[in-house]
Amino acid sequence: MDVHAVGLRPVDWGLGQGLGVPRFAAHRFTASSLSLSGARRFTHETLTSWGLERCADDATLVAAELMTNAATHALAAESDEEAAAAWLGLSCTDRTVTCTVSDPSDQRPRTTTQDPLAEGGRGMRIVTALSKDWGCDVHADGTGKAVWAHLQA
């Protein structure tokens, strides 16, 4: 098993998104720019190590958008260091790469229609354009949500 993180706090999302499959990796991140940069690098390096160079750039962009949403809407408001962290999960089965971000907020992402010159509001449009599908599962125990996107491997 290729698990890069031990002691995952939200184990249920990992099981649902691929923990236990041969190609699964997880990375904890915070809202800091250094942490987000490291998570993007982790995504690209993990997919490349799995021989998935052809989708590594798109998956890294999708993961970056999901992590940015988590950092902006779920982590920035948290003052507790443990609560102010989220998890990125990557898995690959058959011909699908799944990028999942689990964060402590139950606020679902939404696609917005904004002014084309606006500075923000395009994240989920990018995810929609690059992925086969995406969705959001709110944790049953009320500890947040997992936003996932499936990409062609």
Side-chain angles (χ1 to χ4, degrees), residues 54-132:
R54 65 190 167 277
C55 71
D57 290 341
D58 285 351
T60 300
L61 183 54
V62 166
E65 293 299 337
L66 297 179
M67 290 184 298
T68 299
N69 278 350
T72 302
H73 302 291
L75 304 181
E78 296 286 344
S79 58
D80 176 39
E81 178 62 27
E82 185 60 28
W87 285 92
L88 165 67
L90 302 170
S91 64
C92 182
T93 57
D94 297 326
R95 292 180 289 273
T96 302
V97 170
T98 302
C99 298
T100 305
V101 171
S102 181
D103 68 51
S105 170
D106 63 359
Q107 181 183 11
R108 294 175 177 273
R110 61 187 194 287
T111 306
T112 59
T113 55
Q114 294 224 344
D115 178 333
L117 300 177
E119 289 186 23
R122 293 179 192 81
M124 294 314 294
R125 288 180 178 271
I126 292 169
V127 171
T128 299
L130 295 177
S131 62
K132 295 191 300 186

Side-chain angles (χ1 to χ4, degrees), residues 10 12 24 31 33 41 86 105 121 128 140:
D12 58 341
F24 176 83
S33 59
R41 186 172 43 260
S105 170
T128 299

Side-chain angles (χ1 to χ4, degrees), residues 11-85:
V11 174
D12 58 341
W13 75 266
L15 291 173
Q17 298 301 324
L19 181 62
V21 299
R23 293 189 283 184
F24 176 83
H27 185 85
R28 182 179 182 271
F29 67 94
T30 66
S32 79
S33 59
L34 184 62
S35 182
L36 291 168
S37 173
R40 287 190 303 271
R41 186 172 43 260
F42 167 82
T43 301
H44 202 275
E45 289 174 357
T46 298
L47 294 175
T48 300
S49 75
W50 291 346
L52 298 171
E53 294 87 357
R54 65 190 167 277
C55 71
D57 290 341
D58 285 351
T60 300
L61 183 54
V62 166
E65 293 299 337
L66 297 179
M67 290 184 298
T68 299
N69 278 350
T72 302
H73 302 291
L75 304 181
E78 296 286 344
S79 58
D80 176 39
E81 178 62 27
E82 185 60 28

